[in-house]
Amino acid sequence: MNTSTKAYEQLLIRLKQASLLASCSAVLEWDEQTCLPPEGAEHRANQLALMAGLVHEQATNTEIGDLLEELESNSAWDEDSYEQANIRESRHEYDRVTKLPRRLVEELSRVGTLSHHAWVAARKQNSFNDFLPWLEQMIDLKREQASAIGFEGNQAYDALLDEYEPGATSELIEQAFLPLRKELVKLVAEIQNSGVTPDISILTRSYPIDKQREFSLDAAEKIGFNFEAGRLDIAAHPFCSGIGPGDCRLTTRYDEHHFPGAFFGTLHEAGHGIYEQGLRKEFFGTPAGNSTSLGIHESQSRMWENLIGRSRAFWNVFYQPAQEMFPEALSTVKIDDFYRAINDVRPSFIRVEADEVTYNLHIMLRFELEKALISGDLSPVDLEAAWNEKFKEYFNLTPDTPAHGCLQDVHWSAGLIGYFPTYALGNMYAAHFYQTAENELGDLNHLIEARDFSSLKNWLNQNIHRHGKRYRANRLVEVVTGNTLSHLPLMNQLKQKYSELYNL
Amino acid sequence: MNTSTKAYEQLLIRLKQASLLASCSAVLEWDEQTCLPPEGAEHRANQLALMAGLVHEQATNTEIGDLLEELESNSAWDEDSYEQANIRESRHEYDRVTKLPRRLVEELSRVGTLSHHAWVAARKQNSFNDFLPWLEQMIDLKREQASAIGFEGNQAYDALLDEYEPGATSELIEQAFLPLRKELVKLVAEIQNSGVTPDISILTRSYPIDKQREFSLDAAEKIGFNFEAGRLDIAAHPFCSGIGPGDCRLTTRYDEHHFPGAFFGTLHEAGHGIYEQGLRKEFFGTPAGNSTSLGIHESQSRMWENLIGRSRAFWNVFYQPAQEMFPEALSTVKIDDFYRAINDVRPSFIRVEADEVTYNLHIMLRFELEKALISGDLSPVDLEAAWNEKFKEYFNLTPDTPAHGCLQDVHWSAGLIGYFPTYALGNMYAAHFYQTAENELGDLNHLIEARDFSSLKNWLNQNIHRHGKRYRANRLVEVVTGNTLSHLPLMNQLKQKYSELYNL
């Protein structure tokens, strides 16, 4: 064994230990969202802050820095190898985390937990002012975090974005969002002027919750999520948590009178889960065994939720079982009407309930506001007004309450700033991947109609999941599709689908 | 602030940090028993081993030793003060844990987790041989642990027992068990010869599980468990986990055709939970905010499960609601017959389903076998035969399968050796406390019939819970009751109750 190999193995041990510890925090966080009794919130905040500090201590151990230096000057691995990716990405992460003082890391964790609980209460009370002091504290902390990490010019935001989408910049995102926004606004207008109005009331009939759970579980399993290595629970703000090998957890929320929420929510989280379950177990705890970026992660959830789950082909398979499961709601509803209803496009207040077309506009709005909060151009006290003004501009609607406006999302309360744009990136990545998968596998609708979900799942496993962080997101798109990121595949798919649906 | 006060505050910070970290492990352990997907077992074992090592590192930090030395030579706190108790008990703990190498601590955790899963599978397969290699490994580790801690003469067992019942010795326990066993055997024989045979078939009628859950939750809440600071879930082997202030979790298991299992199980765990919720929050993480011992803990669960929950007075309150909740099973059953059925005494295989009278014999059998496993007088390979032989001697029965014999309990698989005797100690302590509470509060049956559960709960809060580890168990019994531990209160209560029930 030469010295590089030795140093590399030492590095892996260090990385894996820090990840193992971080995965303990992941259990605590999952539990906080699904199980924690109300009076346990403060203790949980203390637990998570302590763990964040310990993880930080391990991740910033100077031995990692020494090993990286040794490897960087001596290693001869290929640029595209897993080994070189582990060195490159752990250097990136090491440089980022060593700039953060432990106090700040613990404070971000502690305030994030308490602020999250304050947000839950404020949303319930419909009071932006109840949440404001926490938002102010959080924005201060995030600005401090950005300063500690460092950035060029006035792009403090990019220092935060980099945590979720390594290598991305707000400039690049703006370049992708600009043409996308133009085309989306046009498409929305065409749809609104089409005169076609699907009957969405069929989706708010009575869908018993236990049946929704049974139906969602079955679909998640059919598309390839392994429940021997995962589970599905209820959470107010649904998420997927890949805790570690053999343990990936999905959450959803049920409303008896809203079928799409839990069902497409579960498909979405299952898409994330299939990605987590497709990571290489032997690389657990190293960048090569971790997801590429949140944008790529989101491409997987959107793929299954929208490109597959809201397709006509999917419901050619699942509609009859749905009618049998929910006879009261669906026995007299034709598949065409159901298909139109689940693809209804109309401007609305709530991002997580938005259709495929308007969804990205919700993201752009948040992206602009959070950039302004971090740059200081927007003060937290003015957020509610700024939100409502921009919402009017984008959607020609004014939120009736803060819970339907700037209080609707969990992210800012938890300090997840720079996270939103990854959702829209995910939609664009998903369209790229779908196009290439179709080129390689043949018509995906035919496969799905033949109940073959595993061809696509295996393709994703092979082409995306197993790479982990071997490539950065943009490069992964190039390697897999041969193209660079563009809004065109997404817009083409949307135009084709919605032209048919709305007779455009 | 003098130097002692400063050193004391420093000590508290250290202790609280170690406990906070240990409480993260408690969440992982709870999750392992209630939520973990099957394929996540290995990762969880790795997580728990790492956490055990980190907790060990913090608990053995030499600064704790230095602070203790300083405090021991300078402090002037009263012997019975909380401060002095924190110094005394953290010295005890520090001396114990510093003798254990980190490797052994991690190994005990890792093997404990894997061995637990092996035990679950072996019990399912009814194969003692499947579990044997794990048992051998565990007994070796526990003997190594006892050697590391150190002991006098041939009492390796006492070094393990001390972890659960600080200050107790097997000699003292034998002295208490000997007269208890004699009298129990006599009482069991009298009951068997009484000619009275309750109709226990009424307890195995259909009791729908959701109704069992509702009924148990209601009873647990009525006796004083706070569900804003706790929850109730399902686990194969029920337990209570006091994770930290505001977060205490009960578990139970349901069988549609066995009412007493979940119901009395829930009361039992709620008794543990009421103790945890009665500890002083401001002392969390220090001995003064921790339970006295497992024996005292068990006295609280047994108090609510048996002395209250199986009393006639309790069912004078709860029987009508039970009939309304389970009309199919109970509408034609008289309260007297129900009361007799839930107090049926007969030798049986399974400890956790045993009645109040035979229960302690199950404990004595385990106590003797585990002592012999640790001393080396009994080899693990001979455990099944030894169990069956002793079972025949104590109960005049031979287990039909290992699952009903030596594979029935979780404890040994998880390395919990020295734990069993605390169950019988708990029964004896509970009888002492009940007697004193009755002297001070008046007839407890009258209070209960008046639906007043809070007088007893508050009495327990004041006299037992809030002390934490201020006193050792034996001394707590003296302080609270004025008496030293004896089998007499327990035997007197059993004789009185069962003489009436069996016309002795």
Side-chain angles (χ1 to χ4, degrees):
Chain A
M1 199 186 281
N2 66 32
T3 49
S4 277
T5 316
K6 255 190 217 158
Y8 181 72
E9 299 209 335
Q10 283 300 311
L11 177 68
L12 292 195
I13 288 169
R14 287 267 166 205
L15 296 178
K16 286 183 178 197
Q17 170 125 334
S19 300
L20 186 57
L21 193 60
S23 82
C24 298
S25 287
V27 178
L28 295 177
E29 282 160 4
W30 173 86
D31 181 89
E32 187 190 359
Q33 302 297 323
T34 55
C35 299
L36 189 68
E39 293 183 16
E42 193 184 333
H43 184 67
R44 180 55 47 88
N46 293 335
Q47 289 177 312
L48 285 169
L50 173 66
M51 291 293 289
L54 289 172
V55 169
H56 185 69
E57 192 180 298
Q58 296 211 354
T60 56
N61 189 303
T62 52
E63 276 185 39
I64 294 180
D66 297 342
L67 290 165
L68 284 170
E69 265 182 43
E70 190 182 332
L71 286 162
E72 283 157 349
S73 55
N74 293 320
S75 84
W77 278 293
D78 181 75
E79 198 201 327
D80 277 345
S81 66
Y82 288 106
E83 291 82 359
Q84 198 54 39
N86 273 336
I87 296 167
R88 179 189 72 233
E89 294 301 329
S90 45
R91 161 61 73 191
H92 182 74
E93 176 71 5
Y94 181 75
D95 284 351
R96 209 180 59 78
V97 295
T98 49
K99 287 175 189 156
L100 303 174
R102 177 166 176 169
R103 178 206 47 81
L104 178 60
V105 171
E106 293 188 355
E107 192 71 356
L108 275 163
S109 167
R110 204 184 56 80
V111 172
T113 309
L114 296 174
S115 161
H116 170 76
H117 290 283
W119 166 75
V120 170
R123 192 168 77 147
K124 213 171 176 181
Q125 292 294 319
N126 242 320
S127 163
F128 176 66
N129 282 337
D130 285 1
F131 177 53
L132 180 59
W134 291 99
L135 180 65
E136 285 172 334
Q137 211 177 331
M138 184 52 85
I139 296 295
D140 285 347
L141 286 171
K142 296 303 285 187
R143 286 165 58 106
E144 190 186 340
Q145 186 185 13
S147 294
I149 293 167
F151 51 86
E152 284 172 23
N154 60 354
Q155 297 307 329
Y157 182 80
D158 289 6
L160 304 177
L161 170 65
D162 185 74
E163 185 176 347
Y164 309 112
E165 199 68 16
T169 64
S170 40
E171 197 186 340
L172 285 169
I173 290 174
E174 279 157 17
Q175 281 169 14
F177 280 5
L178 198 69
L180 182 62
R181 189 182 149 202
K182 249 171 104 176
E183 296 221 39
L184 286 174
V185 167
K186 197 167 147 249
L187 182 58
V188 173
E190 285 173 16
I191 289 171
Q192 288 196 288
N193 296 329
S194 69
V196 178
T197 316
D199 173 13
I200 55 173
S201 74
I202 58 179
L203 302 176
T204 52
R205 294 178 177 172
S206 170
Y207 294 83
I209 285 172
D210 56 335
K211 297 288 177 190
Q212 284 192 50
R213 178 173 156 83
E214 195 182 334
F215 191 71
S216 304
L217 277 171
D218 176 63
E221 194 162 19
K222 283 216 171 69
I223 66 169
F225 183 79
N226 173 11
F227 281 100
E228 289 295 300
R231 46 185 291 134
L232 173 65
D233 297 273
I234 295 174
H237 187 83
F239 61 97
C240 162
S241 174
I243 286 168
D247 189 0
C248 176
R249 303 183 179 194
L250 319 177
T251 58
T252 193
R253 58 182 171 203
Y254 300 95
D255 175 347
E256 190 194 331
H257 292 285
H258 190 243
F259 172 78
F263 182 74
F264 292 109
T266 302
L267 281 192
H268 178 99
E269 302 306 338
H272 283 304
I274 289 167
Y275 186 6
E276 289 289 321
Q277 291 184 337
L279 295 168
R280 291 171 67 158
K281 288 184 176 49
E282 67 275 27
F283 287 158
F284 170 77
T286 74
N290 206 341
S291 56
T292 315
S293 71
L294 288 193
I296 298 298
H297 227 305
E298 195 71 7
S299 76
Q300 301 306 294
S301 54
R302 296 280 157 175
M303 172 84 75
W304 291 106
E305 176 194 358
N306 288 334
L307 306 188
I308 306 302
R310 290 184 202 263
S311 71
R312 175 65 196 231
F314 183 88
W315 290 100
N316 283 345
V317 175
F318 279 91
Y319 194 61
Q320 194 188 325
Q323 285 185 308
E324 285 163 15
M325 191 69 91
F326 309 107
E328 198 186 317
L330 296 177
S331 60
T332 63
V333 176
K334 287 189 192 123
I335 182 168
D336 274 336
D337 294 328
F338 180 81
Y339 174 58
R340 279 178 197 281
I342 60 168
N343 286 296
D344 174 65
V345 173
R346 70 184 78 186
S348 64
F349 294 139
I350 304 294
R351 174 183 62 87
V352 296
E353 291 167 10
D355 56 83
E356 279 179 280
V357 183
T358 60
Y359 185 90
N360 295 298
L361 297 171
H362 286 273
I363 296 306
M364 292 169 194
L365 177 146
R366 285 155 180 78
F367 172 59
E368 287 170 33
L369 291 175
E370 67 181 17
K371 266 196 308 173
L373 284 169
I374 294 301
S375 70
D377 291 346
L378 175 64
S379 171
V381 71
D382 298 322
L383 175 67
E384 188 177 8
W387 178 291
N388 291 351
E389 191 184 329
K390 207 171 265 293
F391 207 86
K392 177 82 182 159
E393 179 194 338
Y394 278 37
F395 295 94
N396 198 26
L397 288 172
T398 303
D400 51 352
T401 69
H404 293 162
C406 66
L407 280 185
Q408 70 182 265
D409 288 311
V410 68
H411 301 66
W412 292 338
S413 78
L416 301 174
I417 293 177
Y419 193 115
F420 278 122
T422 68
Y423 291 130
L425 289 173
N427 284 327
M428 291 191 273
Y429 295 145
H432 275 280
F433 295 144
Y434 188 93
Q435 198 176 47
T436 305
E438 193 142 62
N439 289 340
E440 297 184 10
L441 297 172
D443 189 335
L444 291 179
N445 286 326
H446 287 175
L447 292 177
I448 288 160
E449 278 168 353
R451 291 157 202 271
D452 171 5
F453 298 98
S454 63
S455 291
L456 176 58
K457 180 189 161 251
N458 292 338
W459 187 89
L460 295 167
N461 283 157
Q462 286 307 308
N463 289 281
I464 295 162
H465 307 168
R466 75 181 187 92
H467 290 310
K469 279 191 182 346
R470 183 178 178 186
Y471 310 112
R472 287 259 168 114
N474 270 336
R475 177 125 160 71
L476 180 67
V477 172
E478 286 171 25
V479 168
V480 175
T481 71
N483 293 310
T484 55
L485 180 67
S486 149
H487 69 292
L488 291 174
L490 174 60
M491 278 315 305
N492 290 341
Q493 286 167 19
L494 291 175
K495 280 185 208 160
Q496 193 189 336
K497 176 172 176 181
Y498 290 94
S499 294
E500 280 176 32
L501 276 159
Y502 283 88
N503 310 324
L504 303 182
Chain B
M1 200 187 279
N2 66 31
T3 49
S4 278
T5 315
K6 255 190 217 158
Y8 181 71
E9 299 207 337
Q10 283 300 312
L11 177 68
L12 292 195
I13 289 169
R14 287 267 166 205
L15 297 177
K16 286 182 178 198
Q17 171 125 334
S19 298
L20 186 58
L21 193 61
S23 82
C24 298
S25 287
V27 177
L28 295 175
E29 284 161 1
W30 173 85
D31 182 89
E32 187 190 1
Q33 303 296 323
T34 54
C35 298
L36 190 69
E39 293 183 16
E42 194 184 331
H43 184 67
R44 181 54 47 88
N46 293 336
Q47 290 177 310
L48 285 170
L50 173 65
M51 291 294 289
L54 288 173
V55 170
H56 185 68
E57 193 180 297
Q58 295 213 354
T60 55
N61 188 302
T62 52
E63 275 186 41
I64 294 180
D66 296 342
L67 290 166
L68 285 170
E69 264 181 44
E70 190 182 330
L71 286 163
E72 284 158 348
S73 54
N74 292 320
S75 85
W77 279 293
D78 181 76
E79 199 200 326
D80 277 346
S81 66
Y82 287 106
E83 291 83 359
Q84 199 53 41
N86 273 337
I87 296 167
R88 178 188 73 231
E89 293 302 328
S90 46
R91 161 61 71 191
H92 182 74
E93 179 69 6
Y94 182 75
D95 285 351
R96 207 181 60 79
V97 294
T98 50
K99 288 175 188 156
L100 302 175
R102 179 165 173 169
R103 178 208 44 82
L104 178 60
V105 170
E106 293 187 354
E107 192 71 357
L108 275 164
S109 167
R110 205 184 55 79
V111 172
T113 308
L114 296 173
S115 161
H116 170 76
H117 291 283
W119 165 76
V120 170
R123 192 169 75 147
K124 212 171 176 181
Q125 292 295 319
N126 242 321
S127 162
F128 176 67
N129 282 338
D130 285 0
F131 177 54
L132 180 59
W134 291 98
L135 181 66
E136 285 171 334
Q137 210 177 330
M138 185 51 86
I139 296 294
D140 284 348
L141 285 171
K142 296 302 284 187
R143 285 165 59 106
E144 190 186 340
Q145 186 185 14
S147 294
I149 294 168
F151 52 86
E152 284 171 24
N154 59 354
Q155 296 308 327
Y157 183 81
D158 289 6
L160 304 177
L161 171 66
D162 185 72
E163 185 176 347
Y164 310 111
E165 200 67 16
T169 64
S170 42
E171 195 186 343
L172 284 169
I173 291 175
E174 279 158 16
Q175 281 169 13
F177 280 5
L178 198 68
L180 182 63
R181 188 183 151 204
K182 251 173 103 174
E183 295 221 39
L184 285 174
V185 168
K186 198 168 147 246
L187 181 59
V188 173
E190 285 173 13
I191 289 170
Q192 289 196 286
N193 296 329
S194 70
V196 178
T197 315
D199 174 12
I200 55 173
S201 74
I202 57 179
L203 302 177
T204 53
R205 293 177 178 173
S206 171
Y207 294 82
I209 285 172
D210 56 335
K211 297 288 177 189
Q212 284 192 50
R213 178 172 156 83
E214 195 182 334
F215 191 72
S216 303
L217 277 172
D218 176 63
E221 194 162 18
K222 284 217 170 69
I223 66 170
F225 183 78
N226 173 11
F227 280 100
E228 289 295 300
R231 44 187 291 133
L232 172 65
D233 296 273
I234 294 174
H237 187 84
F239 62 97
C240 163
S241 175
I243 286 169
D247 190 0
C248 176
R249 303 182 180 195
L250 317 178
T251 59
T252 193
R253 58 183 171 202
Y254 300 95
D255 174 348
E256 189 194 332
H257 293 284
H258 190 243
F259 172 79
F263 183 74
F264 292 109
T266 302
L267 282 191
H268 178 100
E269 301 306 340
H272 282 305
I274 289 168
Y275 186 5
E276 289 288 323
Q277 293 184 335
L279 295 169
R280 291 170 67 157
K281 289 183 175 50
E282 68 274 26
F283 288 157
F284 170 77
T286 73
N290 205 340
S291 56
T292 316
S293 72
L294 288 192
I296 297 297
H297 227 306
E298 194 72 7
S299 76
Q300 302 304 294
S301 55
R302 296 281 157 175
M303 172 85 75
W304 291 105
E305 176 194 358
N306 290 333
L307 306 189
I308 306 300
R310 291 185 202 263
S311 71
R312 176 66 199 231
F314 183 88
W315 289 100
N316 283 345
V317 174
F318 280 90
Y319 194 60
Q320 197 189 320
Q323 284 185 308
E324 286 163 14
M325 190 68 91
F326 308 106
E328 197 185 317
L330 296 178
S331 61
T332 62
V333 175
K334 286 189 193 127
I335 183 169
D336 273 336
D337 293 329
F338 181 81
Y339 175 59
R340 277 176 200 282
I342 61 168
N343 286 297
D344 174 66
V345 173
R346 70 183 79 187
S348 63
F349 294 139
I350 305 294
R351 174 184 63 87
V352 296
E353 292 167 9
D355 57 82
E356 278 178 281
V357 182
T358 59
Y359 185 89
N360 295 298
L361 297 170
H362 286 272
I363 295 307
M364 292 170 194
L365 176 146
R366 286 155 179 78
F367 172 60
E368 287 170 31
L369 291 174
E370 67 181 18
K371 266 195 310 175
L373 285 168
I374 294 301
S375 72
D377 290 346
L378 175 63
S379 171
V381 71
D382 298 322
L383 175 67
E384 189 178 7
W387 177 290
N388 292 351
E389 191 184 328
K390 206 169 268 290
F391 207 87
K392 176 83 183 161
E393 180 194 337
Y394 278 37
F395 297 91
N396 200 28
L397 289 171
T398 302
D400 50 353
T401 71
H404 292 162
C406 67
L407 280 185
Q408 70 181 267
D409 289 309
V410 68
H411 301 65
W412 292 337
S413 77
L416 301 174
I417 293 176
Y419 193 115
F420 279 122
T422 69
Y423 290 130
L425 288 174
N427 285 327
M428 290 192 273
Y429 295 145
H432 274 281
F433 294 144
Y434 188 92
Q435 198 176 45
T436 304
E438 191 142 63
N439 288 341
E440 297 184 9
L441 298 173
D443 189 335
L444 291 178
N445 286 326
H446 286 174
L447 292 177
I448 289 160
E449 279 168 351
R451 292 155 200 269
D452 171 4
F453 298 100
S454 63
S455 292
L456 176 59
K457 180 191 162 249
N458 292 339
W459 187 89
L460 295 168
N461 282 157
Q462 286 306 309
N463 288 281
I464 295 163
H465 308 168
R466 77 183 186 89
H467 290 310
K469 277 192 184 345
R470 183 176 179 187
Y471 310 110
R472 288 262 168 109
N474 270 336
R475 176 125 159 71
L476 179 67
V477 172
E478 285 171 25
V479 168
V480 176
T481 71
N483 294 311
T484 55
L485 180 68
S486 149
H487 68 292
L488 292 174
L490 174 60
M491 278 315 304
N492 289 342
Q493 287 166 18
L494 291 175
K495 279 186 206 162
Q496 195 191 333
K497 175 173 176 180
Y498 290 93
S499 293
E500 281 175 32
L501 276 159
Y502 283 89
N503 310 326
L504 304 181

